[in-house]
Amino acid sequence: MDYGKIIHIFDTTLRDGEQAPGCSMNLTEKIAVARQLERLGVDVIEAGFPASSPGDLTAVKAIAQLIKDATVAALCRALKTDIDKAWEALASAVRPRIHIFLATSPIHLRYKLHISPEQMLEQAVAAVSYAKQYCEEVEFSAEDATRSDLDFVAAVFSAVIKAGARIVNIPDTVGYALPQEFAALVSAIKERTENIEHVQLSVHCHNDLGLAVANSLAAIEAGATQVECTINGLGERAGNASLEEIVMGLRVRHNFLHADTAICTEQLYVSSKLVSQVTGVKVQPNKAIVGDNAFLHEAGIHQHGVLANRETYEIMKPESIGIPQQRFVLGKHSGRHAFETHLQSLGMPVDPALLDKIFLQFKELADRKKEVTDSDVTALVMGISGTVSEVTWKLDRWVVNSGSSLSATSAIRLQHKDGRLIEKVSVGDGPIDAAFKSINQIIEKEPVLELYELSAITSGEDAQGQTMVKIAWNKRCWNGRGVSTDIVESSIKAYLAAINALEWEFGSTAD
Ligand code: KIV
Ligand code: ZN
């Protein structure tokens, strides 16, 4: 088959996706997502923004060491200090890429950067030249390109290509463009940029008007060779272009677009599930490609048609994106081998050193629940993996009392990583408040609880409750997620997960 041109997929779930409210991931979760992106076959994994926090630096470093089959990119501003940090993180990557961004639009230059267009151009060229001493592959992004002067963007691209940029990227940073307009912009930039034929032309679309995927496909038709996107369309505000929609758009409409990607589409469903699990951000049921309803046929006339011939109402097969045709039910009689095989089918091969521990927890859960679902299993793996390297405080035991005629009280005992056991008793405005107050006393910090969200991750009376919390301390925020069949316990676990992320970054007061 003639695949036409092959479009490079630059995944930014771990950077732009992670910037979305409530989407931050811990190190173990980022590594699990990076591994899955490699299995999915993306060309580039943007692993983070190392200068933005020590946690990001560590995560990019870890991913750069691990990933062998994809380029690993790190974002940085057009500053020497940021570029140094990006390289510190990327140095061990098999295929490293330094990704520099600087805005070109009048509004950003004037109000955010306080520099003239001439200074911007000079800074962009200096940054690319500086990055080239470290790394052959340097990408330059003209932030807010769609609200910039076209000739200016072309002049900046011509100059950074001369300085050594191998990829130039046109971001629709605020999701403002319309498809025909964006295609015209890409064509014009191709025409007006010197030596553009020797580099890759990339686009990066945000979804503020719901057009990120349409704009990306229009850009491909106009000559873009790389698209930047995220799993489930996660990202700042309304998100980025959804990777699975772009990939399947190209695959299903190959007859029109004459382009394809190297993505293994059978890994799309697992990737979506994994990202949803680790971020706690649910996929809307009617989301294209990976939503729960994407392949459901409700109306009788549709069901009739599909039974006669699936193609009456289906333009792609669920198997082509890896939706399991046979649901494999795990329960208390499942053995270790079946459990391990199931983890692999979910895209979560587990370190053999951890498997025994996870299997034991699975058995305990299976005793409490009739059926252990994929969401339960993912939560279990992430929960355990998350406790391997980054835990300062471990829950040892807890008792919480509450009722209509007494104040809620809690007694919580935590174990510090140095082995000490500390217990505190508190009174609170409800059981969760009391529990969190006990924890605050133990850790000797009082973070602000910015978000608390409780939901059922599976259905039925024995469903597991998932709690998401966001805490703020010292002008920084951390998320935590906890899962249990007991909602007080899931809340305590979520709070502790966020506290452990905080301690990992700042060091424990009790150290
Ligand atoms: O949206 C944007 O402009 C970006 C750049 C950093 C590429 O994310
Ligand atoms: Zn972006």
Short mmCIF file of all heavy atoms in Angstrom, two decimals, residues 398 432 452 454-455 463-467 484-493:
data_model
loop_
_atom_site.label_atom_id
_atom_site.label_comp_id
_atom_site.label_asym_id
_atom_site.label_seq_id
_atom_site.Cartn_x
_atom_site.Cartn_y
_atom_site.Cartn_z
N TRP A 398 -5.74 3.91 60.51
CA TRP A 398 -6.61 5.06 60.70
C TRP A 398 -7.94 4.65 61.33
O TRP A 398 -8.42 3.54 61.12
CB TRP A 398 -6.87 5.79 59.37
CG TRP A 398 -7.62 4.98 58.34
CD1 TRP A 398 -7.08 4.10 57.45
CD2 TRP A 398 -9.03 4.95 58.11
NE1 TRP A 398 -8.06 3.54 56.67
CE2 TRP A 398 -9.26 4.04 57.05
CE3 TRP A 398 -10.11 5.60 58.69
CZ2 TRP A 398 -10.54 3.79 56.57
CZ3 TRP A 398 -11.38 5.34 58.20
CH2 TRP A 398 -11.60 4.44 57.15
N ILE A 432 -13.67 13.80 56.73
CA ILE A 432 -12.52 14.04 55.84
C ILE A 432 -11.66 15.17 56.41
O ILE A 432 -10.43 15.09 56.46
CB ILE A 432 -13.00 14.40 54.41
CG1 ILE A 432 -14.00 13.36 53.88
CG2 ILE A 432 -11.83 14.59 53.46
CD1 ILE A 432 -13.48 11.98 53.69
N TYR A 452 -11.27 19.00 45.96
CA TYR A 452 -11.57 17.67 46.53
C TYR A 452 -12.70 17.10 45.69
O TYR A 452 -13.75 17.71 45.57
CB TYR A 452 -11.99 17.79 47.99
CG TYR A 452 -12.46 16.48 48.57
CD1 TYR A 452 -11.56 15.57 49.10
CD2 TYR A 452 -13.81 16.14 48.55
CE1 TYR A 452 -11.99 14.35 49.60
CE2 TYR A 452 -14.25 14.92 49.03
CZ TYR A 452 -13.33 14.03 49.56
OH TYR A 452 -13.77 12.83 50.05
N LEU A 454 -14.82 13.45 44.62
CA LEU A 454 -15.01 12.03 44.88
C LEU A 454 -15.86 11.45 43.76
O LEU A 454 -16.88 12.03 43.39
CB LEU A 454 -15.74 11.91 46.22
CG LEU A 454 -15.93 10.54 46.82
CD1 LEU A 454 -14.60 9.87 47.11
CD2 LEU A 454 -16.72 10.66 48.13
N SER A 455 -15.47 10.31 43.21
CA SER A 455 -16.30 9.69 42.17
C SER A 455 -16.16 8.18 42.25
O SER A 455 -15.22 7.67 42.87
CB SER A 455 -15.87 10.18 40.79
OG SER A 455 -14.52 9.85 40.58
N ALA A 463 -18.54 -0.71 44.27
CA ALA A 463 -17.66 0.12 43.43
C ALA A 463 -16.54 0.72 44.26
O ALA A 463 -16.70 1.00 45.45
CB ALA A 463 -18.46 1.24 42.80
N GLN A 464 -15.41 0.96 43.62
CA GLN A 464 -14.32 1.64 44.30
C GLN A 464 -14.53 3.15 44.17
O GLN A 464 -14.88 3.65 43.11
CB GLN A 464 -13.00 1.28 43.65
CG GLN A 464 -12.63 -0.17 43.79
CD GLN A 464 -11.13 -0.32 43.98
OE1 GLN A 464 -10.63 -0.30 45.10
NE2 GLN A 464 -10.44 -0.46 42.90
N GLY A 465 -14.30 3.86 45.26
CA GLY A 465 -14.39 5.32 45.23
C GLY A 465 -13.02 5.88 44.88
O GLY A 465 -12.00 5.40 45.37
N GLN A 466 -13.02 6.86 43.98
CA GLN A 466 -11.75 7.52 43.64
C GLN A 466 -11.81 8.96 44.14
O GLN A 466 -12.76 9.68 43.87
CB GLN A 466 -11.55 7.51 42.13
CG GLN A 466 -10.40 8.42 41.69
CD GLN A 466 -10.04 8.23 40.24
OE1 GLN A 466 -9.24 7.38 39.89
NE2 GLN A 466 -10.63 9.02 39.37
N THR A 467 -10.79 9.36 44.87
CA THR A 467 -10.73 10.75 45.32
C THR A 467 -9.58 11.46 44.63
O THR A 467 -8.49 10.89 44.49
CB THR A 467 -10.48 10.81 46.85
OG1 THR A 467 -11.44 9.98 47.48
CG2 THR A 467 -10.61 12.22 47.39
N SER A 484 -10.19 3.36 46.86
CA SER A 484 -10.50 2.33 47.85
C SER A 484 -12.00 2.07 47.79
O SER A 484 -12.77 2.90 47.29
CB SER A 484 -10.12 2.84 49.25
OG SER A 484 -10.65 1.98 50.24
N THR A 485 -12.42 0.92 48.33
CA THR A 485 -13.86 0.69 48.43
C THR A 485 -14.44 1.53 49.58
O THR A 485 -15.65 1.65 49.71
CB THR A 485 -14.18 -0.80 48.66
OG1 THR A 485 -13.32 -1.28 49.68
CG2 THR A 485 -13.97 -1.61 47.40
N ASP A 486 -13.57 2.10 50.42
CA ASP A 486 -14.01 2.97 51.51
C ASP A 486 -13.66 4.42 51.15
O ASP A 486 -12.49 4.74 50.90
CB ASP A 486 -13.28 2.54 52.80
CG ASP A 486 -13.75 3.33 54.00
OD1 ASP A 486 -13.65 4.59 53.97
OD2 ASP A 486 -14.22 2.72 54.95
N ILE A 487 -14.67 5.29 51.15
CA ILE A 487 -14.39 6.65 50.64
C ILE A 487 -13.51 7.48 51.59
O ILE A 487 -12.80 8.37 51.15
CB ILE A 487 -15.69 7.42 50.30
CG1 ILE A 487 -16.61 7.53 51.50
CG2 ILE A 487 -16.39 6.81 49.10
CD1 ILE A 487 -17.76 8.46 51.27
N VAL A 488 -13.56 7.17 52.90
CA VAL A 488 -12.66 7.90 53.81
C VAL A 488 -11.22 7.48 53.52
O VAL A 488 -10.31 8.31 53.42
CB VAL A 488 -13.03 7.66 55.30
CG1 VAL A 488 -12.03 8.34 56.22
CG2 VAL A 488 -14.44 8.15 55.58
N GLU A 489 -11.04 6.17 53.33
CA GLU A 489 -9.68 5.69 53.03
C GLU A 489 -9.18 6.23 51.69
O GLU A 489 -8.03 6.63 51.57
CB GLU A 489 -9.66 4.16 53.02
CG GLU A 489 -8.24 3.63 52.91
CD GLU A 489 -8.19 2.13 53.15
OE1 GLU A 489 -8.07 1.72 54.30
OE2 GLU A 489 -8.27 1.38 52.16
N SER A 490 -10.07 6.29 50.68
CA SER A 490 -9.60 6.81 49.38
C SER A 490 -9.22 8.29 49.53
O SER A 490 -8.27 8.75 48.91
CB SER A 490 -10.64 6.59 48.28
OG SER A 490 -11.66 7.53 48.35
N SER A 491 -9.93 9.02 50.41
CA SER A 491 -9.60 10.43 50.62
C SER A 491 -8.25 10.57 51.32
O SER A 491 -7.42 11.40 50.94
CB SER A 491 -10.67 11.10 51.49
OG SER A 491 -11.93 10.93 50.90
N ILE A 492 -8.03 9.73 52.33
CA ILE A 492 -6.74 9.78 53.04
C ILE A 492 -5.60 9.44 52.08
O ILE A 492 -4.57 10.11 52.05
CB ILE A 492 -6.75 8.80 54.25
CG1 ILE A 492 -7.77 9.27 55.29
CG2 ILE A 492 -5.37 8.68 54.86
CD1 ILE A 492 -7.98 8.30 56.45
N LYS A 493 -5.82 8.42 51.26
CA LYS A 493 -4.77 8.02 50.31
C LYS A 493 -4.46 9.14 49.31
O LYS A 493 -3.32 9.38 48.96
CB LYS A 493 -5.20 6.76 49.55
CG LYS A 493 -5.09 5.48 50.36
CD LYS A 493 -5.52 4.33 49.45
CE LYS A 493 -5.21 2.98 50.04
NZ LYS A 493 -5.78 1.91 49.21
#
